[in-house]
Structure formats: C-alpha cells, structure tokens
Amino acid sequence: QKREISNFDYLMYLNTLAGRSYNDYMQYPVFPWVLADYHSETLNLTNPQTFRDLSKPMGAQTVERKHKFIQRFNEVEKSEGDPSAQCHYCTHYSSAIIVASYLVRMEPFTQTFCSLQGGSFDVADRMFHSVKSTWESASRDNMSDVRELTPEFFYLPEFLTNANHFEFGCMQDGTVLGDVQLPPWADGDPHKFILLHRQALESDYVSAHLHCWIDLIFGHKQHGSAAVEAVNTYHPYFYGDKMDLNNIKDPLIKSTILGFISNFGQIPKQV
C-alpha cells in the first residue's frame, strides 16, 4: 500500500512463509495468471477487461466452467463415495510436472520433465508451446487443468526460447515445437513479453485486487466453508498439513497418499 515493496517481492515473501521453495518442485513458488488478453496487438493495462478475475480460482473463470465444477462437487455428495473426498478439483494449480513443463526448455528442468514423464518428452501437442492456448486450457477449455504460473513468467525470458535446440517433435498440424508462441502484443520478443507481463503484475488493477487471489491460495478461502463458497476446494490429499500421516498405519495407503502429493501438488501452508 505504501509502494515500498513490489507485488512480485510480496508474493515471493508469502510463498516463502507458506513453505514454498525453488528447491522443491512439489512446493515451487506459485504466481497468478494476471492477464486474460493474449490476442490484442497492444496491451491496455488501464482496461479492467485486460485482466483475469483475481477473486476467482482458475476453475471459476467462466460461468459455465464454474457450474460444472460445482456440479462435480455436489455429485460426490450424492454418490456412495467417501464424502471426505468431496472437492471441486482433482488436479492442482502447482505441481512438479506443471513447473517442469513450463521450464522444460532449460536445464535442469528438461531432465526433470523427462524423468517425470518416464524418460522422454510428452506428445508435442500436450507440451507447453503457447501462452495463449495454455491460458485458454487452464481458464476455460480443460476440466483437468487449473494451473497457475511460476515466478519465471515475470522475470526470465530465457525459458520461452528453445536455445538448447531440444527436439520436442511436431504437433498434429505439422508445426515443429521450438520456442513458445507469444501473444501478438509481445511482437515475438520474449524480453518484451516479460517486460509487459511484469508491468501487468505491478499495475494499479492487480495491486488493487491481488489480495483476493492471496486469500484463495494462502489465506482463509483455502479450505473450509469459505473455500466451498469460493469454488476453491481440492482433493483432501492436497492439503498436506491436514493429513496426519503418522496416524495412518496401512503402509499401502500411506505410500498412495505420498505418491499422490508428489505427483499432483500440495496446497501451501496457510499464512
């Protein structure tokens, strides 16, 4: 509020307090999508329509999608299944594979991605290849995709270029997968993309609404009735600090939970 610290620094501080670290891909720092405009020739940071709705999780960015996730939540309640597993999302907004897929063009993330994928790159069409299509998938199109961003989207142009000339293969339309496709307003320049994206993060609109996103990820809307109301509940296994593994005697259940967490991600500690 006093403009003595940037939004970027504040988010990094919160991530650290919540136990997130660059040293742990399973608990990597998580940053928000801040823009919703990946099609305009120029980026207008004075127009509220340019921005993502920071008061809603990625699963509730469109009305239609939000209702589908609410329906899923209600169906678990009616079914014979375990009511404690009632949730809106069975996938997570930050996990080792999400981090490695975003940063796959740089080592050591390339090797990490391949090891998580069983030793090779994924099918080209499923690789991170376009900022616009990734936003559309995570905010609208794909019911199993609610991913947020990593800090690198706001300071590191190198992760957007295939400087190491990795052979990721061809997409179904014949496009050879190389550098990440950028929005028109970036003019094909990764440095310009990072500059404008960082300006968006530090803009007046984001500064005025960032606390809403922080409530969802690090605050009181993380779990409980406030999370249900905000369409922001995840599979119980994602809440690492709520799972008392010491009391679980069955080694198979214990290893299943640990495997689930390592593969799909963890909710940050509430701060």
Coordinates of all heavy atoms in Angstrom, one line a residue, residues 23-107:
N23 N 13.7 -24.9 -4.3 CA 14.5 -26.2 -4.1 C 13.5 -27.4 -4.1 O 14.0 -28.6 -4.0 CB 15.3 -26.2 -2.8 CG 16.3 -25.1 -2.8 OD1 16.9 -24.9 -3.9 ND2 16.5 -24.4 -1.7
D24 N 12.2 -27.2 -4.2 CA 11.3 -28.3 -4.1 C 10.2 -28.1 -5.2 O 9.4 -27.3 -5.1 CB 10.6 -28.3 -2.8 CG 9.7 -29.5 -2.6 OD1 9.4 -30.2 -3.5 OD2 9.2 -29.7 -1.4
Y25 N 10.3 -28.9 -6.3 CA 9.4 -28.8 -7.4 C 8.0 -29.1 -7.0 O 7.0 -28.7 -7.6 CB 9.7 -29.8 -8.5 CG 11.1 -29.5 -9.2 CD1 11.7 -30.5 -10.0 CD2 11.7 -28.3 -9.1 CE1 12.9 -30.2 -10.7 CE2 12.9 -28.0 -9.7 CZ 13.5 -29.0 -10.5 OH 14.7 -28.7 -11.1
M26 N 7.8 -29.9 -5.9 CA 6.5 -30.2 -5.4 C 5.9 -29.1 -4.6 O 4.6 -29.0 -4.4 CB 6.5 -31.5 -4.6 CG 6.8 -32.8 -5.3 SD 6.8 -34.2 -4.3 CE 8.4 -34.1 -3.5
Q27 N 6.7 -28.2 -4.2 CA 6.2 -27.0 -3.5 C 6.9 -25.7 -4.0 O 7.5 -25.0 -3.3 CB 6.4 -27.1 -2.0 CG 5.7 -28.3 -1.3 CD 5.7 -28.2 0.2 OE1 5.0 -27.5 0.8 NE2 6.6 -29.0 0.8
Y28 N 6.8 -25.6 -5.3 CA 7.5 -24.5 -6.0 C 6.7 -23.2 -5.8 O 5.5 -23.3 -5.6 CB 7.6 -24.8 -7.5 CG 8.7 -24.2 -8.3 CD1 10.0 -24.7 -8.2 CD2 8.4 -23.1 -9.1 CE1 11.0 -24.1 -8.9 CE2 9.5 -22.6 -9.9 CZ 10.8 -23.1 -9.8 OH 11.8 -22.5 -10.5
P29 N 7.4 -22.0 -5.8 CA 6.6 -20.8 -5.6 C 5.5 -20.7 -6.7 O 5.7 -21.0 -7.9 CB 7.7 -19.7 -5.9 CG 8.9 -20.4 -5.4 CD 8.8 -21.8 -5.8
V30 N 4.3 -20.3 -6.3 CA 3.2 -20.2 -7.2 C 2.8 -18.7 -7.4 O 2.7 -18.0 -6.4 CB 2.0 -21.0 -6.7 CG1 1.5 -20.6 -5.3 CG2 0.8 -20.9 -7.6
F31 N 2.6 -18.4 -8.7 CA 2.2 -17.0 -9.0 C 0.9 -17.0 -9.8 O 0.6 -18.0 -10.5 CB 3.3 -16.3 -9.8 CG 4.3 -15.6 -9.0 CD1 5.1 -16.2 -8.0 CD2 4.5 -14.2 -9.2 CE1 6.0 -15.5 -7.3 CE2 5.4 -13.5 -8.4 CZ 6.1 -14.1 -7.5
P32 N 0.2 -15.9 -9.8 CA -1.1 -16.0 -10.5 C -1.0 -15.6 -12.0 O -0.2 -14.9 -12.4 CB -1.9 -14.9 -9.8 CG -0.9 -13.9 -9.4 CD 0.3 -14.7 -9.1
W33 N -1.9 -16.2 -12.8 CA -2.2 -15.6 -14.1 C -2.8 -14.2 -13.8 O -3.7 -14.1 -13.0 CB -3.3 -16.4 -14.8 CG -2.9 -17.7 -15.4 CD1 -3.0 -18.9 -14.8 CD2 -2.3 -18.0 -16.7 NE1 -2.6 -19.9 -15.6 CE2 -2.1 -19.4 -16.8 CE3 -1.9 -17.1 -17.7 CZ2 -1.6 -19.9 -17.9 CZ3 -1.4 -17.7 -18.9 CH2 -1.2 -19.1 -19.0
V34 N -2.3 -13.2 -14.4 CA -2.8 -11.8 -14.1 C -3.6 -11.2 -15.3 O -4.4 -10.3 -15.2 CB -1.7 -10.8 -13.6 CG1 -1.2 -11.2 -12.3 CG2 -0.6 -10.7 -14.6
L35 N -3.3 -11.8 -16.5 CA -3.9 -11.2 -17.7 C -4.9 -12.2 -18.3 O -4.8 -13.4 -18.1 CB -2.8 -11.0 -18.8 CG -1.8 -9.8 -18.5 CD1 -0.8 -9.8 -19.6 CD2 -2.5 -8.5 -18.4
A36 N -5.9 -11.7 -19.1 CA -6.8 -12.5 -19.8 C -6.7 -12.2 -21.3 O -7.4 -12.8 -22.1 CB -8.2 -12.3 -19.3
D37 N -5.9 -11.2 -21.6 CA -5.8 -10.7 -23.0 C -4.5 -11.3 -23.7 O -3.4 -10.7 -23.4 CB -5.8 -9.2 -23.1 CG -5.8 -8.7 -24.5 OD1 -5.6 -9.5 -25.5 OD2 -5.9 -7.5 -24.7
Y38 N -4.6 -12.3 -24.5 CA -3.5 -12.9 -25.2 C -3.7 -12.8 -26.7 O -3.1 -13.6 -27.5 CB -3.2 -14.3 -24.7 CG -2.9 -14.3 -23.3 CD1 -3.9 -14.6 -22.3 CD2 -1.6 -14.0 -22.8 CE1 -3.6 -14.6 -21.0 CE2 -1.3 -14.0 -21.5 CZ -2.3 -14.3 -20.5 OH -2.0 -14.3 -19.2
H39 N -4.6 -11.9 -27.2 CA -4.9 -11.8 -28.6 C -4.8 -10.4 -29.2 O -4.7 -10.3 -30.4 CB -6.4 -12.3 -28.8 CG -7.4 -11.6 -28.0 ND1 -7.8 -12.0 -26.7 CD2 -8.1 -10.4 -28.2 CE1 -8.7 -11.2 -26.2 NE2 -8.9 -10.2 -27.1
S40 N -4.7 -9.4 -28.3 CA -4.7 -8.0 -28.8 C -3.3 -7.7 -29.4 O -2.3 -8.2 -28.9 CB -5.0 -7.0 -27.7 OG -6.4 -7.2 -27.3
E41 N -3.2 -6.7 -30.3 CA -1.9 -6.3 -30.8 C -1.2 -5.4 -29.8 O 0.0 -5.4 -29.8 CB -2.2 -5.5 -32.1 CG -2.7 -6.3 -33.3 CD -1.8 -7.3 -33.8 OE1 -0.5 -7.1 -33.8 OE2 -2.3 -8.4 -34.2
T42 N -1.9 -4.7 -29.0 CA -1.3 -3.9 -28.0 C -2.0 -4.2 -26.6 O -3.2 -4.5 -26.6 CB -1.4 -2.4 -28.2 OG1 -2.8 -2.0 -28.5 CG2 -0.6 -2.0 -29.5
L43 N -1.3 -4.1 -25.6 CA -1.8 -4.4 -24.2 C -2.2 -3.2 -23.5 O -1.4 -2.2 -23.3 CB -0.7 -5.2 -23.4 CG -1.1 -5.9 -22.2 CD1 -2.1 -7.0 -22.5 CD2 0.1 -6.5 -21.5
N44 N -3.5 -3.1 -23.1 CA -4.0 -1.9 -22.5 C -4.2 -2.2 -21.0 O -5.1 -2.8 -20.5 CB -5.4 -1.5 -23.1 CG -6.0 -0.3 -22.4 OD1 -5.4 0.3 -21.5 ND2 -7.1 0.1 -22.9
L45 N -3.2 -1.7 -20.2 CA -3.2 -2.0 -18.7 C -4.1 -1.1 -17.9 O -4.1 -1.1 -16.7 CB -1.8 -2.0 -18.2 CG -0.8 -3.0 -18.8 CD1 0.6 -2.9 -18.2 CD2 -1.3 -4.4 -18.5
T46 N -4.9 -0.2 -18.6 CA -5.8 0.7 -17.9 C -7.2 0.1 -18.1 O -8.2 0.6 -17.4 CB -5.8 2.1 -18.5 OG1 -6.2 2.1 -19.9 CG2 -4.4 2.7 -18.3
N47 N -7.4 -1.0 -18.9 CA -8.7 -1.6 -19.1 C -8.9 -2.8 -18.2 O -8.1 -3.8 -18.3 CB -8.8 -2.0 -20.6 CG -10.2 -2.6 -20.9 OD1 -11.1 -2.7 -20.0 ND2 -10.4 -3.0 -22.1
P48 N -9.9 -2.8 -17.3 CA -10.1 -3.9 -16.4 C -10.3 -5.3 -17.2 O -10.0 -6.3 -16.7 CB -11.3 -3.6 -15.6 CG -11.4 -2.1 -15.6 CD -10.8 -1.7 -17.0
Q49 N -10.9 -5.2 -18.4 CA -11.1 -6.4 -19.2 C -9.9 -7.1 -19.6 O -9.9 -8.2 -20.0 CB -11.9 -6.0 -20.5 CG -13.3 -5.4 -20.2 CD -14.2 -6.3 -19.4 OE1 -14.3 -7.4 -19.7 NE2 -14.8 -5.7 -18.3
T50 N -8.8 -6.4 -19.5 CA -7.5 -7.0 -19.9 C -7.0 -8.0 -18.9 O -6.3 -8.9 -19.2 CB -6.4 -5.9 -20.0 OG1 -6.8 -4.9 -21.0 CG2 -5.0 -6.4 -20.3
F51 N -7.6 -8.0 -17.7 CA -7.1 -8.8 -16.6 C -7.9 -10.0 -16.3 O -9.2 -10.0 -16.5 CB -6.9 -7.9 -15.3 CG -5.9 -6.8 -15.5 CD1 -6.3 -5.5 -16.0 CD2 -4.6 -7.0 -15.3 CE1 -5.4 -4.5 -16.2 CE2 -3.6 -6.0 -15.5 CZ -4.0 -4.7 -15.9
R52 N -7.3 -11.0 -15.7 CA -8.0 -12.1 -15.2 C -8.8 -11.7 -13.9 O -8.4 -10.8 -13.2 CB -6.9 -13.2 -14.8 CG -7.4 -14.4 -14.0 CD -6.8 -14.2 -12.5 NE -7.2 -15.3 -11.7 CZ -6.4 -16.3 -11.3 NH1 -5.2 -16.3 -11.7 NH2 -6.9 -17.2 -10.5
D53 N -9.8 -12.4 -13.6 CA -10.6 -12.1 -12.3 C -9.8 -12.8 -11.2 O -9.9 -14.0 -11.0 CB -12.0 -12.7 -12.4 CG -12.9 -12.3 -11.2 OD1 -12.3 -11.9 -10.2 OD2 -14.1 -12.4 -11.3
L54 N -9.1 -11.9 -10.4 CA -8.3 -12.4 -9.3 C -9.1 -12.9 -8.1 O -8.5 -13.5 -7.2 CB -7.3 -11.4 -8.9 CG -6.1 -11.2 -9.9 CD1 -5.5 -9.8 -9.8 CD2 -5.1 -12.3 -9.8
S55 N -10.4 -12.6 -8.1 CA -11.2 -13.1 -6.9 C -11.7 -14.5 -7.1 O -12.2 -15.1 -6.2 CB -12.4 -12.1 -6.8 OG -13.3 -12.3 -7.8
K56 N -11.4 -15.1 -8.3 CA -11.9 -16.4 -8.5 C -10.7 -17.4 -8.9 O -9.8 -16.9 -9.5 CB -12.9 -16.5 -9.7 CG -14.2 -15.7 -9.4 CD -15.1 -15.8 -10.6 CE -16.5 -15.2 -10.3 NZ -16.4 -13.7 -10.2
P57 N -10.8 -18.6 -8.4 CA -9.7 -19.6 -8.8 C -9.8 -19.8 -10.3 O -10.8 -19.5 -11.0 CB -10.0 -20.8 -8.0 CG -11.5 -20.7 -7.7 CD -11.8 -19.3 -7.6
M58 N -8.8 -20.5 -10.9 CA -8.8 -20.8 -12.3 C -10.0 -21.6 -12.8 O -10.5 -21.4 -13.9 CB -7.5 -21.5 -12.7 CG -6.3 -20.6 -12.6 SD -6.4 -19.1 -13.7 CE -6.3 -19.8 -15.3
G59 N -10.5 -22.4 -11.9 CA -11.7 -23.3 -12.3 C -13.0 -22.5 -12.4 O -14.0 -23.0 -12.9
A60 N -13.0 -21.2 -11.9 CA -14.2 -20.5 -12.0 C -14.1 -19.2 -12.8 O -14.8 -18.2 -12.6 CB -14.6 -20.1 -10.5
Q61 N -13.2 -19.2 -13.8 CA -13.0 -18.0 -14.6 C -14.1 -17.8 -15.6 O -14.4 -16.6 -16.0 CB -11.7 -18.1 -15.3 CG -10.4 -17.9 -14.4 CD -10.4 -16.6 -13.7 OE1 -10.4 -15.5 -14.4 NE2 -10.2 -16.6 -12.4
T62 N -14.8 -18.8 -16.0 CA -16.0 -18.7 -16.8 C -17.2 -19.3 -16.0 O -17.1 -20.2 -15.2 CB -15.9 -19.4 -18.1 OG1 -15.9 -20.8 -17.9 CG2 -14.6 -19.0 -18.9
V63 N -18.4 -18.7 -16.2 CA -19.6 -19.1 -15.5 C -19.9 -20.6 -15.8 O -20.2 -21.4 -14.9 CB -20.8 -18.2 -15.9 CG1 -22.1 -18.8 -15.3 CG2 -20.6 -16.8 -15.5
E64 N -19.8 -21.0 -17.1 CA -20.1 -22.3 -17.5 C -19.2 -23.4 -16.8 O -19.6 -24.4 -16.3 CB -19.9 -22.5 -19.0 CG -20.3 -23.8 -19.6 CD -20.0 -24.0 -21.1 OE1 -19.5 -23.0 -21.7 OE2 -20.2 -25.1 -21.6
R65 N -17.9 -23.1 -16.8 CA -16.9 -24.0 -16.1 C -17.2 -24.0 -14.6 O -17.1 -25.1 -14.0 CB -15.5 -23.5 -16.5 CG -14.4 -24.5 -16.2 CD -13.2 -23.9 -16.8 NE -12.1 -24.9 -16.9 CZ -10.9 -24.8 -16.3 NH1 -10.6 -23.7 -15.7 NH2 -10.0 -25.7 -16.5
K66 N -17.4 -22.9 -14.0 CA -17.7 -22.8 -12.6 C -18.8 -23.7 -12.2 O -18.8 -24.5 -11.3 CB -18.0 -21.4 -12.2 CG -18.4 -21.2 -10.8 CD -18.7 -19.7 -10.5 CE -19.3 -19.5 -9.1 NZ -19.7 -18.1 -8.9
H67 N -19.9 -23.7 -13.0 CA -21.1 -24.5 -12.7 C -20.8 -26.0 -12.9 O -21.3 -26.8 -12.1 CB -22.3 -24.1 -13.6 CG -22.9 -22.8 -13.2 ND1 -23.1 -22.5 -11.9 CD2 -23.3 -21.8 -14.0 CE1 -23.6 -21.2 -11.9 NE2 -23.8 -20.8 -13.1
K68 N -19.9 -26.4 -13.8 CA -19.5 -27.8 -14.0 C -18.8 -28.3 -12.8 O -19.0 -29.4 -12.3 CB -18.6 -27.9 -15.2 CG -19.4 -27.9 -16.5 CD -18.5 -28.1 -17.7 CE -19.2 -28.0 -19.0 NZ -18.3 -28.1 -20.2
F69 N -17.9 -27.4 -12.2 CA -17.1 -27.9 -11.0 C -18.0 -27.9 -9.8 O -17.9 -28.8 -8.9 CB -15.9 -26.9 -10.8 CG -14.8 -27.2 -11.7 CD1 -14.3 -26.3 -12.6 CD2 -14.2 -28.5 -11.7 CE1 -13.2 -26.5 -13.4 CE2 -13.1 -28.7 -12.5 CZ -12.6 -27.8 -13.4
I70 N -19.0 -27.0 -9.7 CA -20.0 -27.1 -8.6 C -20.8 -28.4 -8.7 O -21.1 -29.0 -7.7 CB -20.9 -25.8 -8.6 CG1 -20.1 -24.6 -8.2 CG2 -22.0 -26.0 -7.6 CD1 -20.8 -23.3 -8.4
Q71 N -21.2 -28.7 -9.9 CA -21.9 -29.9 -10.2 C -21.1 -31.2 -9.7 O -21.7 -32.1 -9.1 CB -22.3 -30.0 -11.7 CG -23.2 -31.1 -12.0 CD -23.6 -31.2 -13.5 OE1 -23.1 -30.3 -14.2 NE2 -24.2 -32.2 -13.9
R72 N -19.8 -31.2 -10.1 CA -19.0 -32.3 -9.7 C -18.9 -32.4 -8.1 O -19.0 -33.5 -7.6 CB -17.6 -32.1 -10.2 CG -16.6 -33.1 -9.7 CD -15.1 -32.7 -10.0 NE -14.8 -33.0 -11.4 CZ -13.6 -32.6 -12.0 NH1 -12.7 -32.0 -11.2 NH2 -13.4 -32.9 -13.2
F73 N -18.8 -31.2 -7.5 CA -18.7 -31.2 -6.0 C -20.0 -31.8 -5.4 O -20.0 -32.6 -4.5 CB -18.6 -29.7 -5.6 CG -18.4 -29.6 -4.1 CD1 -17.2 -29.6 -3.5 CD2 -19.6 -29.4 -3.3 CE1 -17.1 -29.4 -2.1 CE2 -19.4 -29.2 -1.9 CZ -18.2 -29.2 -1.3
N74 N -21.2 -31.4 -6.0 CA -22.5 -31.9 -5.5 C -22.7 -33.4 -5.8 O -23.3 -34.1 -5.0 CB -23.6 -31.1 -6.1 CG -23.6 -29.6 -5.5 OD1 -23.1 -29.4 -4.5 ND2 -24.1 -28.7 -6.3
E75 N -22.2 -33.9 -6.9 CA -22.4 -35.3 -7.3 C -21.6 -36.2 -6.3 O -22.1 -37.3 -6.0 CB -21.9 -35.5 -8.7 CG -22.9 -35.1 -9.7 CD -22.4 -35.1 -11.2 OE1 -21.2 -35.4 -11.3 OE2 -23.2 -34.7 -12.1
V76 N -20.5 -35.8 -5.8 CA -19.7 -36.6 -4.9 C -20.5 -36.8 -3.6 O -20.6 -37.8 -3.0 CB -18.3 -36.0 -4.5 CG1 -17.6 -36.8 -3.4 CG2 -17.5 -36.0 -5.8
E77 N -21.3 -35.7 -3.2 CA -22.1 -35.7 -2.0 C -23.2 -36.8 -2.1 O -23.5 -37.5 -1.2 CB -22.7 -34.3 -1.8 CG -23.3 -34.1 -0.4 CD -23.8 -32.7 -0.2 OE1 -24.1 -32.0 -1.2 OE2 -23.8 -32.3 0.9
K78 N -23.8 -36.9 -3.3 CA -24.9 -37.8 -3.5 C -24.5 -39.2 -3.7 O -25.3 -40.1 -3.5 CB -25.7 -37.3 -4.8 CG -26.5 -36.0 -4.6 CD -27.1 -35.6 -5.9 CE -27.6 -34.2 -5.9 NZ -27.6 -33.6 -7.2
S79 N -23.3 -39.4 -4.2 CA -22.8 -40.8 -4.6 C -22.5 -41.5 -3.3 O -22.4 -41.0 -2.2 CB -21.6 -40.7 -5.5 OG -20.5 -40.3 -4.8
E80 N -22.2 -42.8 -3.5 CA -21.9 -43.7 -2.3 C -20.4 -43.5 -1.9 O -20.0 -44.1 -0.9 CB -22.0 -45.2 -2.8 CG -23.4 -45.5 -3.2 CD -24.4 -45.8 -2.0 OE1 -23.9 -46.6 -1.1 OE2 -25.5 -45.3 -2.0
G81 N -19.7 -42.7 -2.6 CA -18.3 -42.5 -2.4 C -18.0 -41.8 -1.0 O -18.9 -41.5 -0.3
D82 N -16.7 -41.7 -0.7 CA -16.2 -41.1 0.5 C -16.5 -39.6 0.5 O -16.0 -38.9 -0.3 CB -14.7 -41.4 0.6 CG -14.1 -40.8 1.9 OD1 -14.9 -40.3 2.7 OD2 -12.9 -40.9 2.1
P83 N -17.4 -39.2 1.5 CA -17.8 -37.8 1.5 C -16.6 -36.9 1.8 O -16.6 -35.7 1.5 CB -18.9 -37.7 2.6 CG -18.7 -38.9 3.4 CD -18.2 -40.0 2.5
S84 N -15.6 -37.4 2.5 CA -14.4 -36.6 2.8 C -13.6 -36.3 1.5 O -12.7 -35.4 1.5 CB -13.5 -37.3 3.8 OG -12.9 -38.5 3.2
A85 N -13.9 -37.0 0.4 CA -13.2 -36.7 -0.8 C -13.9 -35.7 -1.7 O -13.6 -35.5 -2.8 CB -13.0 -38.0 -1.6
Q86 N -14.9 -35.1 -1.1 CA -15.7 -34.1 -1.9 C -14.9 -32.9 -2.2 O -14.3 -32.3 -1.3 CB -16.9 -33.7 -1.0 CG -18.0 -32.9 -1.7 CD -19.2 -32.6 -0.9 OE1 -19.1 -32.6 0.3 NE2 -20.3 -32.3 -1.5
C87 N -14.8 -32.6 -3.4 CA -14.0 -31.4 -3.8 C -14.4 -30.9 -5.2 O -15.1 -31.6 -6.0 CB -12.5 -31.8 -3.8 SG -12.1 -33.1 -5.0
H88 N -14.0 -29.7 -5.5 CA -14.2 -29.2 -6.9 C -13.2 -29.7 -7.9 O -13.5 -30.0 -9.0 CB -14.2 -27.7 -6.9 CG -15.3 -27.0 -6.1 ND1 -15.1 -26.5 -4.8 CD2 -16.6 -26.9 -6.3 CE1 -16.2 -26.0 -4.3 NE2 -17.2 -26.2 -5.2
Y89 N -11.9 -29.8 -7.4 CA -10.8 -30.1 -8.3 C -10.0 -31.3 -7.9 O -9.6 -31.4 -6.7 CB -9.9 -28.9 -8.4 CG -10.6 -27.6 -8.6 CD1 -10.5 -26.6 -7.6 CD2 -11.3 -27.3 -9.8 CE1 -11.2 -25.4 -7.8 CE2 -12.0 -26.1 -9.9 CZ -12.0 -25.2 -8.9 OH -12.6 -24.0 -9.1
C90 N -9.8 -32.2 -8.8 CA -9.0 -33.4 -8.5 C -7.6 -33.2 -9.0 O -6.7 -34.0 -8.8 CB -9.6 -34.6 -9.1 SG -11.2 -35.0 -8.5
T91 N -7.3 -32.1 -9.7 CA -6.0 -31.7 -10.1 C -5.6 -30.4 -9.3 O -6.4 -29.8 -8.6 CB -5.9 -31.4 -11.6 OG1 -6.9 -30.5 -12.0 CG2 -6.0 -32.7 -12.4
H92 N -4.4 -30.0 -9.5 CA -3.8 -28.9 -8.7 C -3.3 -27.7 -9.6 O -3.1 -27.9 -10.8 CB -2.7 -29.4 -7.8 CG -2.4 -28.6 -6.6 ND1 -1.4 -27.6 -6.6 CD2 -3.0 -28.5 -5.4 CE1 -1.4 -27.0 -5.4 NE2 -2.4 -27.6 -4.7
Y93 N -3.1 -26.6 -8.9 CA -2.7 -25.4 -9.7 C -1.1 -25.3 -9.7 O -0.6 -24.5 -10.4 CB -3.3 -24.1 -9.1 CG -3.2 -23.9 -7.6 CD1 -2.0 -23.6 -7.0 CD2 -4.3 -24.1 -6.8 CE1 -1.9 -23.4 -5.6 CE2 -4.2 -24.0 -5.5 CZ -3.0 -23.6 -4.9 OH -2.9 -23.5 -3.5
S94 N -0.5 -26.1 -8.9 CA 1.0 -26.1 -8.9 C 1.5 -27.5 -8.5 O 1.2 -28.0 -7.5 CB 1.5 -25.1 -8.0 OG 3.0 -25.2 -7.9
S95 N 2.3 -28.1 -9.4 CA 2.9 -29.4 -9.1 C 4.2 -29.5 -9.8 O 4.6 -28.7 -10.6 CB 2.0 -30.5 -9.6 OG 1.9 -30.5 -11.0
A96 N 5.0 -30.6 -9.5 CA 6.3 -30.8 -10.1 C 6.2 -30.8 -11.6 O 7.0 -30.2 -12.3 CB 6.9 -32.1 -9.6
I97 N 5.2 -31.5 -12.1 CA 5.1 -31.7 -13.6 C 4.7 -30.4 -14.2 O 5.1 -30.0 -15.4 CB 4.1 -32.8 -14.0 CG1 4.3 -33.2 -15.5 CG2 2.7 -32.5 -13.7 CD1 5.5 -33.8 -15.9
I98 N 3.9 -29.6 -13.6 CA 3.5 -28.2 -14.1 C 4.7 -27.3 -14.2 O 5.0 -26.7 -15.2 CB 2.4 -27.6 -13.3 CG1 1.0 -28.3 -13.4 CG2 2.2 -26.1 -13.6 CD1 -0.1 -27.9 -12.5
V99 N 5.5 -27.3 -13.1 CA 6.7 -26.5 -13.1 C 7.7 -26.9 -14.2 O 8.2 -26.1 -15.0 CB 7.4 -26.6 -11.7 CG1 8.8 -25.9 -11.7 CG2 6.5 -26.0 -10.6
A100 N 7.9 -28.3 -14.2 CA 8.9 -28.8 -15.2 C 8.4 -28.6 -16.7 O 9.2 -28.3 -17.6 CB 9.1 -30.2 -15.0
S101 N 7.1 -28.6 -16.9 CA 6.6 -28.4 -18.2 C 6.7 -27.0 -18.7 O 7.0 -26.7 -19.9 CB 5.1 -28.9 -18.3 OG 4.3 -28.0 -17.6
Y102 N 6.5 -26.0 -17.8 CA 6.7 -24.6 -18.1 C 8.2 -24.3 -18.4 O 8.5 -23.6 -19.3 CB 6.3 -23.7 -16.9 CG 4.8 -23.4 -16.8 CD1 4.2 -23.3 -15.5 CD2 4.0 -23.3 -17.9 CE1 2.9 -23.0 -15.4 CE2 2.6 -23.0 -17.8 CZ 2.1 -22.8 -16.5 OH 0.7 -22.5 -16.4
L103 N 9.1 -24.9 -17.7 CA 10.5 -24.6 -17.8 C 11.3 -25.6 -18.5 O 12.5 -25.7 -18.5 CB 11.1 -24.4 -16.4 CG 10.3 -23.4 -15.5 CD1 10.9 -23.4 -14.1 CD2 10.3 -22.0 -16.1
V104 N 10.6 -26.5 -19.3 CA 11.2 -27.6 -20.0 C 12.4 -27.3 -20.9 O 13.2 -28.1 -21.2 CB 10.1 -28.5 -20.7 CG1 9.6 -27.8 -21.9 CG2 10.7 -29.9 -21.0
R105 N 12.4 -26.0 -21.4 CA 13.4 -25.6 -22.4 C 14.7 -25.3 -21.7 O 15.7 -25.0 -22.4 CB 12.9 -24.5 -23.2 CG 11.8 -24.8 -24.2 CD 11.0 -23.7 -24.7 NE 10.0 -24.1 -25.7 CZ 8.8 -24.7 -25.3 NH1 8.5 -24.8 -24.0 NH2 7.9 -25.0 -26.2
M106 N 14.8 -25.3 -20.4 CA 16.0 -25.1 -19.7 C 16.4 -26.2 -18.8 O 15.5 -26.9 -18.2 CB 15.9 -23.8 -18.8 CG 15.5 -22.5 -19.4 SD 15.6 -21.2 -18.3 CE 14.5 -21.8 -16.9
E107 N 17.7 -26.5 -18.7 CA 18.1 -27.5 -17.7 C 18.2 -26.8 -16.3 O 18.4 -25.6 -16.3 CB 19.5 -28.0 -18.0 CG 19.5 -28.9 -19.3 CD 18.9 -30.3 -19.0 OE1 18.2 -30.5 -18.0 OE2 19.1 -31.2 -19.9

